[in-house]
Amino acid sequence: MIDIFNAFYRGKRVLVTGHTGFKGSWLSIWLHELGAEVIGVAQDPFTERDNYVLSGIGQKIKADLRADIRDGERMKEIFRQYQPEIVFHLAAQPLVRLSYDIPVETYQTNVMGTINILEAIRMTDSVKVGVMITTDKCYENKEQIWGYRENEPMGGYDPYSSSKGAAEITIASWRRSFFNPKDYERHRKSIASVRAGNVIGGGDWALDRIIPDCIKALEAGKPIEIRSPKAIRPWQHVLEPLSGYMLLASRMWNEPAKYCEGWNFGPRAESITNVWDVASMVIENYGSGELKDLSDPDALHEAKLLMLDINKAKFQLGWEPRMGIKRCIALTVDWYKKYGAEDVYSLCLEEMDKFIG
């Protein structure tokens, strides 16, 4: 695999929270391949078919730990033991519809969990860079037809989105209060938050996500049931935002006071499309299947239109998406068509090579 980060991660101690999750497993594989010493901290994976399980990345990294980010003392203990230099915080309760069922736990995990990681960073001298991953849903969504910029208000209608908006406010507060770039020579830490769109890719089996829903239906020979066919989202392959997070961390390491801000890592404009069209492209690439519209006017509220403005990352970091929506869907479906018969770790590396190349 081509190292697009110029050997920056080789030998670095990198702690990833949520490494058993969808994005976390892909990030851990990439970091491991780049020579980083990866310390993974997370709860058990969602299913036995998750990318984390099938790839075997837990057996390859430096430490594969089970812990709950709501346990602040445990987090500090892990940081003390492993002395990470870079932290990617991905662990979260990530589902909108589930947040209606468990709103308190959603807030405990997404807000207090984030505070616990920030405090562990604050108490650990070895940490130089912290990249806190939130979501595009952290913005106060007005269903506007242009993308949200990093300086727009945080908010959220549902408990998940609002918890992420609250997490963003928390991160900004800790940055001003304890990691202020003006006082960098005293605290020696750089903290940023990052927001991505609707991330797709192989090895995701989470509930109420369009790609897992499509694949489950296709494997079972059933119609794909679409509850919000007209909802428009900024779709992107998992490797797109991860490349942005990793690039940002390398810049923060070298120029810590310059890049410790909020950043959007969204897709190209052509990849902002509706759920029905995405499911149709999945069927086209899979080679079979049919769609069924289950629109319900009384369904729980979910945003119908949400887009990100990525000009800041483009012009200040030199980052931009590598793939359009058709390529993203093709690469994603390819993983699901092969995972049952091929070595999944090698399959992930193959897809990384395609992405980078």
Side-chain angles (χ1 to χ4, degrees):
M1 185 178 67
I2 303 167
D3 183 354
I4 59 176
F5 304 103
N6 299 316
F8 170 79
Y9 285 97
R10 191 171 300 156
K12 295 282 196 310
R13 296 187 304 278
V14 183
L15 187 145
V16 178
T17 72
H19 73 295
T20 61
F22 168 46
K23 289 172 72 177
S25 66
W26 280 94
L27 177 60
S28 298
I29 291 170
W30 202 342
L31 288 167
H32 176 71
E33 285 297 308
L34 297 180
E37 296 181 8
V38 180
I39 303 106
V41 179
Q43 295 187 322
D44 289 332
F46 182 63
T47 77
E48 290 302 309
R49 293 193 294 173
D50 282 13
N51 189 54
Y52 162 82
V53 177
L54 297 182
S55 69
I57 184 58
Q59 286 76 54
K60 299 178 183 292
I61 59 178
K62 180 180 178 66
D64 178 25
L65 308 175
R66 294 294 171 274
D68 191 326
I69 60 171
R70 292 174 293 180
D71 186 342
E73 291 307 310
R74 176 68 173 132
M75 292 303 106
K76 291 175 186 175
E77 177 186 320
I78 290 170
F79 275 62
R80 281 194 298 268
Q81 179 178 354
Y82 290 95
Q83 295 291 300
E85 298 169 291
I86 298 171
V87 174
F88 290 99
H89 172 48
L90 292 89
Q93 192 300 90
L95 302 174
V96 172
R97 284 163 61 86
L98 181 59
S99 75
Y100 282 104
D101 296 329
I102 53 169
V104 175
E105 183 179 334
T106 297
Y107 259 76
Q108 289 171 337
T109 301
N110 295 350
V111 182
M112 286 309 303
T114 296
I115 288 174
N116 289 336
I117 298 302
L118 288 167
E119 283 293 276
I121 289 173
R122 187 160 75 97
M123 301 298 177
T124 310
D125 289 342
S126 62
V127 180
K128 304 302 180 188
V129 170
V131 179
M132 317 298 285
I133 288 82
T134 63
T135 175
D136 59 346
K137 298 172 184 64
C138 66
Y139 292 106
E140 181 62 43
N141 189 6
K142 302 171 185 176
E143 307 275 351
Q144 63 190 28
I145 60 172
W146 50 86
Y148 292 94
R149 296 177 179 175
E150 288 85 347
N151 59 358
E152 296 198 58
M154 297 293 123
Y157 182 108
D158 56 87
Y160 166 73
S161 301
S162 62
S163 74
K164 287 296 193 174
E168 282 281 359
I169 293 170
T170 298
I171 294 162
S173 172
W174 255 250
R175 182 166 51 231
R176 294 188 188 105
S177 302
F178 307 114
F179 310 121
N180 198 304
K182 295 178 182 178
D183 302 321
Y184 174 76
E185 293 304 322
R186 176 178 56 81
H187 57 73
R188 308 289 295 179
K189 299 180 190 301
S190 182
I191 306 296
S193 61
V194 296
R195 306 131 195 182
N198 278 47
V199 179
I200 62 175
D204 182 15
W205 298 101
L207 300 173
D208 296 325
R209 287 183 182 163
I210 185 59
I211 298 298
D213 286 351
C214 286
I215 300 302
K216 291 173 192 174
L218 291 169
E219 290 185 343
K222 298 179 179 179
I224 299 170
E225 298 179 342
I226 309 294
R227 67 176 187 271
S228 300
K230 296 180 180 179
I232 296 173
R233 296 287 186 273
W235 309 95
Q236 57 191 142
H237 191 274
V238 61
L239 297 175
E240 298 276 27
L242 294 184
S243 70
Y245 305 165
M246 295 167 73
L247 174 62
L248 174 62
S250 68
R251 296 289 179 83
M252 292 166 68
W253 182 278
N254 293 320
E255 296 183 79
K258 183 177 179 180
Y259 295 101
C260 54
E261 301 173 335
W263 299 85
N264 290 340
F265 294 101
R268 299 174 182 174
E270 70 189 65
S271 296
I272 301 170
T273 188
N274 66 57
V275 172
W276 189 270
D277 287 346
V278 166
S280 298
M281 283 185 270
V282 170
I283 286 175
E284 181 182 348
N285 281 273
Y286 201 82
S288 64
E290 60 178 305
L291 302 181
K292 184 177 181 180
D293 187 344
L294 287 188
S295 301
D296 179 3
D298 298 320
L300 294 171
H301 177 274
E302 291 187 77
K304 296 292 184 287
L305 177 61
L306 184 59
M307 297 181 286
L308 292 174
D309 185 308
I310 60 172
N311 281 318
K312 180 180 176 182
K314 182 176 180 179
F315 292 112
Q316 294 188 24
L317 288 176
W319 175 92
E320 57 185 321
R322 291 171 173 260
M323 301 189 296
I325 184 64
K326 291 184 179 179
R327 182 68 172 151
C328 292
I329 297 291
L331 207 57
T332 297
V333 174
D334 187 60
W335 189 99
Y336 286 103
K337 289 171 72 174
K338 293 179 177 178
Y339 80 93
E342 295 190 13
D343 176 78
V344 170
Y345 191 87
S346 297
L347 177 57
C348 290
L349 298 189
E350 177 186 321
E351 300 215 340
M352 287 179 176
D353 279 334
K354 290 177 180 177
F355 168 74
I356 294 168

